[in-house]
Amino acid sequence: MTVSIRVMTAGDGYRYLLSSVVIGDGDRDAAAALTRYYLKSGTPPGTWGGTGVIGLPGGEISAGDSVSEEQLRRLMGYGQDPSTGEQLGRPYRKFATASQRVERCIAKLPVTLTTEERATQVGLIEAEEAAKPTGAPVAGFDLTFSVPKSVSTLWAVADGGTQALIARAHHAAIQDVIELLERDVAATRVGAKGPRGAVAQVPVRGVIAAAYDHYDSRASDPQLHTHVVVANRVQAARDGKWRTLDSRALHAAVTGLSEHYNAVLADRITQVLGVGWEARERGVGRSRAWEITGVSQGLMDEFSSRTRDIEQVKDRLVADYVERHGRQPSPKLLWQLRQQATLETRPSKQQHSLSVLTAQWRARATNVLGEDAPTWASALLAGSAADPLLRADDIPLDGLGAVAAVVMERVGDRRATWKRWNLHAEAVRQTMGLRFATAQDRDTITRQIVDAAEHASLRLTPPELASTPTIFQQADGTSVFRPKASTVYSSERVIAAEDGLLAAAENRTGPTVPLAWIEQAARTENKDGYTLSPDQEQAIAKIGISGRTLDVLVGPAGTGNTTCRV
């Protein structure tokens, strides 16, 4: 995904924020941060964003103002107003450390224990508490917006004016996503606490965010991206009190927000540069990517050192898994293996000036292209044929229903149940080949497709059994006791497939192989592997499964799995 999320705690998360995100020199013109060459190392200073800054008690911060380290320390470190230090809602909850938990448990031991018994119990307590994670209050969420590789590649080697236009389009696309987040995602929870927390979800007056631009990866390759740190402090629209952000809604929407960013970024870059876009496959286990037409895969690979390192380690992990289990990992496990490879290959962050990096990038690109890189970039833009920019009214309504049907089918291919944000993400994917004149036009079409897909889906969440009083309604008339976009859907096709699987599971009339044959096959080994006797081969042919392969995992527990192929 081009938008990732990282939970930031008030402890380690805040220290990570200072060491890995806030590494700017702090003396640069933020308005022109990524449009000219810097002679100093580091990255531009952060800027405030989000409509939630309007409600801060101090009233000294506006969107676009630079973020100082002291302001960030107050907000992210203590949950306070960045300017005045006034507490925003309740202070962060303090969690007992492992040693404190051990002391409390030891204090509860009976005094009648002997010295040996007490030592045994203390050892057990220390081991048990050491295995438990120590809680930490959530200070915020780091939403990282990364442009596609072709955009970073073009930005890295183009002239200063083109770089400025790409950076401006990137920032505008981020703002489009933040507006969508504030409208459809951001909320807080209120009411009596229960096993799952507060009972009502209520709207807020926007979010408070600090955005930090970065322009290179940890391998010093071009990677234009922005860390948008959203504070875990929001102001309820109804009573004005400061509470925490409903993180469940945010996590559920990340994929949809990521796809939305891809689309509006492509729209905006087409508007200012006139480039076209094309879909490219990225291999097994990875989704299709949309890249700028004319930026070759070879040039992108030159600037993908991190990807190469990650893929090499991931392939090794996959090979190890196949050797141990005799099968390919599932898509979910494949994603986990890639995350493991990402961590294993992660180098330390280095600081370079943008001028030095730009010179290196242009030299590397010139070597790959066989011509001057900035000249190539100018020729690419001059010869590009952009797709037409559409308005919402240009899309026929009957066509939206057909797209909605495809959206529901594609989502149903990947999951048994889904929610609105799953449909939103797929709706954006299905319309990624279209370029829209404004973010509002794309948002209008996307919402219409999602509404139609919801209508065509099979609703599993039961409807409200009673009307909701006005005081307990959202602005759209829905109940505050039912979180936004939480309705669960499926389809008749998925339900029918599940019924078929259940029926097949109850069918015991299929051909079988006696366990004794499997045991004998496990004991009969030659250079070609495990085999059956000729009599058993003939018997298998008689029951109608000859010519097919049956893999059986055998072997004592704890010795690893052995594949017996018959």
Side-chain angles (χ1 to χ4, degrees):
M1 296 190 299
T2 52
V3 178
S4 61
I5 185 171
R6 176 190 175 100
V7 177
M8 310 195 72
T9 63
D12 294 338
Y14 174 66
R15 286 188 287 272
Y16 162 82
L17 178 64
L18 292 179
S19 62
S20 299
V21 178
V22 188
I23 55 176
D25 297 321
D27 58 352
R28 298 172 180 159
D29 179 10
L34 291 174
T35 63
R36 57 190 176 86
Y37 306 139
Y38 294 119
L39 300 179
K40 296 182 179 180
S41 63
T43 52
T47 57
W48 290 109
T51 57
V53 298
I54 300 175
L56 289 171
E60 301 178 11
I61 293 178
S62 300
D65 292 348
S66 294
V67 182
S68 70
E69 187 172 323
E70 176 62 22
Q71 290 175 331
L72 196 66
R73 183 186 66 83
R74 289 172 176 168
L75 179 62
M76 300 299 297
Y78 301 99
Q80 299 172 347
D81 183 291
S83 301
T84 65
E86 180 180 341
Q87 191 66 46
L88 301 178
R90 296 178 180 177
Y92 287 144
R93 178 183 174 187
K94 294 183 178 180
F95 295 84
T97 63
S99 59
Q100 291 173 334
R101 297 196 303 268
V102 168
E103 291 178 0
R104 284 189 293 201
C105 292
I106 292 177
K108 297 178 181 179
L109 291 176
V111 295
T112 57
L113 294 177
T114 65
T115 302
E116 183 177 353
E117 291 173 338
R118 183 178 181 84
T120 300
Q121 292 298 318
V122 169
L124 293 174
I125 291 172
E126 291 177 341
E128 181 181 358
E129 294 300 331
K132 295 180 181 179
T134 299
V138 176
F141 306 90
D142 177 11
L143 296 175
T144 305
F145 294 75
S146 299
V147 304
K149 197 62 187 181
S150 60
V151 178
S152 284
T153 300
L154 181 60
W155 170 82
V157 302
D159 59 79
T162 302
Q163 286 183 325
L165 293 175
I166 292 175
R168 189 176 303 168
H170 167 60
H171 293 148
I174 292 176
Q175 182 59 35
D176 293 334
V177 175
I178 295 300
E179 291 176 0
L180 176 64
L181 184 152
E182 291 183 326
R183 186 193 72 193
D184 294 342
V185 181
T188 188
R189 288 176 288 170
V190 299
K193 292 184 177 180
R196 296 180 59 84
V199 297
Q201 186 188 72
V202 297
V204 298
R205 298 173 181 171
V207 298
I208 304 173
Y212 293 86
D213 287 326
H214 289 202
Y215 43 71
D216 62 333
S217 69
R218 289 179 176 267
S220 297
D221 288 328
Q223 184 189 357
L224 179 59
H225 62 286
T226 299
H227 293 267
V228 179
V229 183
V230 178
N232 193 25
R233 284 290 184 271
V234 288
Q235 190 178 27
R238 187 165 297 177
D239 57 14
K241 293 184 178 180
W242 290 90
R243 298 181 175 89
T244 58
L245 190 65
D246 186 352
S247 60
R248 295 180 299 182
L250 181 59
H251 283 286
V254 167
T255 302
L257 296 177
S258 178
E259 296 294 346
H260 193 83
Y261 166 76
N262 290 340
V264 294
L265 175 66
D267 292 343
R268 289 188 175 276
I269 290 181
T270 296
Q271 292 169 19
V272 298
L273 297 182
V275 298
W277 295 81
E278 60 185 15
R280 300 182 188 178
E281 300 297 333
R282 298 192 297 171
V284 179
R286 304 189 67 188
S287 59
R288 184 174 59 177
W290 285 82
E291 305 290 355
I292 296 177
T293 303
V295 180
S296 68
Q297 189 63 44
L299 183 57
M300 291 165 54
D301 291 342
E302 170 65 23
F303 294 137
S304 302
S305 303
R306 283 284 290 136
T307 300
R308 288 196 299 270
D309 294 342
I310 292 171
E311 289 300 315
Q312 289 176 358
V313 176
K314 184 210 71 175
D315 291 342
R316 174 178 57 80
L317 295 174
V318 170
D320 292 343
Y321 180 88
V322 172
E323 184 178 355
R324 291 195 308 271
H325 301 281
R327 65 180 185 275
Q328 290 292 329
S330 65
K332 180 179 180 180
L333 182 57
L334 187 64
W335 181 85
Q336 293 174 344
L337 293 177
R338 196 172 194 280
Q339 297 305 305
Q340 180 181 342
T342 302
L343 295 177
E344 289 185 10
T345 60
R346 191 176 193 181
S348 58
K349 185 73 173 180
Q350 298 180 357
Q351 298 185 27
H352 302 282
S353 68
L354 184 55
S355 61
V356 170
L357 287 173
T358 300
Q360 294 175 354
W361 295 336
R362 288 180 172 177
R364 292 166 60 185
T366 298
N367 184 56
V368 172
L369 296 167
E371 60 177 309
D372 180 65
T375 303
W376 165 84
S378 298
L380 172 66
L381 298 179
S384 294
D387 296 326
L389 299 178
L390 304 176
R391 294 287 183 179
D393 294 341
D394 296 330
I395 308 297
L397 294 179
D398 55 349
L400 297 182
V403 176
V406 174
V407 167
M408 189 183 69
E409 182 177 357
R410 294 293 175 85
V411 172
D413 288 340
R414 290 192 295 268
R415 54 178 65 238
T417 61
W418 52 84
K419 297 181 181 179
R420 184 175 178 87
W421 279 108
N422 302 121
L423 297 172
H424 181 104
E426 188 59 36
V428 177
R429 295 188 193 105
Q430 293 301 318
T431 56
M432 187 62 187
L434 303 177
R435 300 275 68 83
F436 286 90
T438 66
Q440 290 73 25
D441 290 314
R442 178 172 290 279
D443 179 62
T444 298
I445 294 300
T446 301
R447 295 179 73 180
Q448 290 179 353
I449 294 174
V450 175
D451 289 343
E454 277 190 325
H455 182 74
S457 298
L458 181 64
R459 176 172 176 153
L460 300 182
T461 301
E464 298 285 348
L465 299 179
S467 60
T468 302
T470 305
I471 192 174
F472 295 128
Q473 291 181 2
Q474 302 276 13
D476 59 0
T478 58
S479 172
V480 297
F481 301 108
R482 180 157 291 181
K484 294 187 292 185
S486 64
T487 302
V488 179
Y489 299 96
S490 186
S491 69
E492 294 183 0
R493 182 173 69 94
V494 172
I495 299 299
E498 292 180 347
D499 290 341
L501 289 174
L502 291 174
E506 296 295 330
N507 185 359
R508 305 290 184 176
T509 61
T512 61
V513 178
L515 179 61
W517 293 10
I518 302 299
E519 293 175 346
Q520 181 175 347
R523 292 192 298 267
T524 306
E525 180 180 5
N526 56 30
K527 64 178 181 179
D528 296 324
Y530 298 104
T531 61
L532 295 177
S533 67
D535 292 340
Q536 292 168 342
E537 292 281 5
Q538 293 178 1
I540 289 176
K542 288 181 180 180
I543 62 176
I545 61 172
S546 60
R548 297 173 60 186
T549 298
L550 172 65
D551 288 338
V552 182
L553 298 180
V554 298
T559 62
N561 291 324
T562 302
T563 301
C564 171
R565 174 158 290 182
V566 299

